[in-house]
Amino acid sequence: MKATLTFFTALLLAPLAALPATITVQADQRLGRIEPMLYGQFIEHLGCCINGGIFEPGSPLADTNGFRRDVLAKVRELNPPLLRWPGGTYTKIYHWQDGVGAKSERKCRPNLIWGGEEDHLFGTDEFIRYCRAIGAEPYLSVNMGTGTAEEAANWVEYCNGTGNTHYANLRRNHGFTAPHAVKFWGLGNEEEAEPDCGRLQDPNEYSRVAWQYAKLMKLQDPSIRLIVAGVGGSTNWNATVLNSLHPVADYISAHWYLRANSHAGLLGSVAAFDRQLGAFESFLGTYPPQPKNFSHWYRFPPRQGPVRLAIDEWGLWNGGQGGRTNGWGVEQTYTWQDALATASWLNAMHRHPNLIGFATWAQMVNVIAPIQTDRQNSVRQTVFHPLALYAKHCGDWSVVARCESPALEAAGPGQPLPALDISATARDQGAQVTLAVVNRHSTLNIPARLQIDGGSYTLTGGYELTAPSLQASNSVSRPTEECVLTRQLPAAVGIDAREFPPRSITLLMFAPKR
Ligand code: AHR
């Protein structure tokens, strides 16, 4: 306590110019729009993500739909605006008709991708019901491995059909009079992945087949948005695919999984991701915002608006074996180091606003996930906290922000990294500005000079999250312990300096002075 008082006294007395860091936000200079869909989630029939995660019929913790109530409450705190399903790689063998209709008639099949058996009790209608329960838009990926374009188009008819037609009536017979109105449809998943059982691992071949899927699906419902399968990093796959499919590709997908070899190494990977987004901006900018000369004989309109990036899998996959998932190493325990990286990762996405159409963290429960369960309990992992906090408090416009900061204690690969990493966002025409500051240094308090230009702002409050060490973690085996210390920050009329504690994530909310 004494040390803190001494520090604050020193901070108050220090000339602002002498502080080791400076943060300047230009509240009236917008970089672009941040899609609220940035905070989406993904669930797949892998391990205990669905069965034994969100869905456990018969459990005393489940509701009448079989949804785990304790998990549902935590998912609502995460508040994902978008939910992707059924995969992932599992999409390559998923036949949607196995998962609709009377439960007693659903077919149980081997899960050839991830092992075990898939009973199909959680199918399309259950997925839609779950989306409605959490207020998320559904996002379905179609099978381009063992499936057909006709099967995918029939799925669109089942979900969105309004006529007196076979699959629309099938949905009605299953108790869903109103259409499910699924807007987002992915054309396969990681189709380039050579070890997978996909059949379209050549980009020309993928494009040719994806065109047929696109046509049949759009003929069922011209309003749907299509996501074509791309890859992260630099490759000619994306160019080949978009050169062909760009008139109907609302989004191209790319996946990023980072690994925590060390704190600096992980943050170096986040910085590399930031640079890759810059490359994606230049690349996607080469496609016309509105396709030209699209023949009316297609019988549906072309893409409306620029092609955008769909980061429909992102997360931290540190490897390891064991657990309940046949050795795929997906049951990760996340540390506070992982949470700091997650916050920085979100900052990087904020810095590329117009580029990203949406993102879905992989995956929501148990599988490389912010929520962990066993049969009796569920807990929020460390990464849960930045995901929930950013989704709730960050704005939908990215604004210009600059930061000068001391360096991180250990150098990562490439350039030296700053200890402070920031993003600034605004909502309601600048009525609220949120400054997110991650102090990634493990031991250093960093006092910073704060300047909000482009208006006269007052601090309305904020949150400061810390943990006792970089290695701190929560675990479902210690369900009542929480390693993350959350401090709510009070309002202040004038704020021109602030101390950012080591290993901290701080969100400061400002509103214009009246
Ligand atoms: O999220 C786990 C798996 O990782 C997905 O099924 C696949 O798309 C990716 O490789």
Side-chain angles (χ1 to χ4, degrees), residues 46-67:
L46 195 186
C48 298
C49 180
I50 297 175
N51 292 339
I54 65 168
F55 186 63
E56 204 166 349
S59 160
L61 297 175
D63 66 14
T64 50
N65 292 312
F67 301 156

Side-chain angles (χ1 to χ4, degrees), residues 79-110:
N79 197 16
L82 181 70
L83 191 62
R84 176 177 185 243
W85 173 81
T89 309
Y90 180 70
T91 298
K92 288 174 180 159
I93 59 161
Y94 185 66
H95 296 288
W96 67 270
Q97 289 196 65
D98 287 344
V100 295
K103 299 239 168 156
S104 57
E105 284 166 32
R106 301 221 186 152
K107 297 185 180 72
C108 184
R109 298 187 191 277

Side-chain angles (χ1 to χ4, degrees), residues 53 61 68-74 365-366 370-381 475-476 478-480:
L61 297 175
R68 278 272 297 256
R69 280 179 275 107
D70 58 328
V71 178
L72 195 56
K74 292 182 176 67
V365 179
N366 285 326
I371 300 170
Q372 231 180 15
T373 74
D374 61 18
R375 284 183 176 273
Q376 291 80 34
N377 295 298
S378 56
V379 289
R380 298 167 191 83
Q381 294 232 57
S475 165
V476 76
R478 293 176 272 112
T480 55

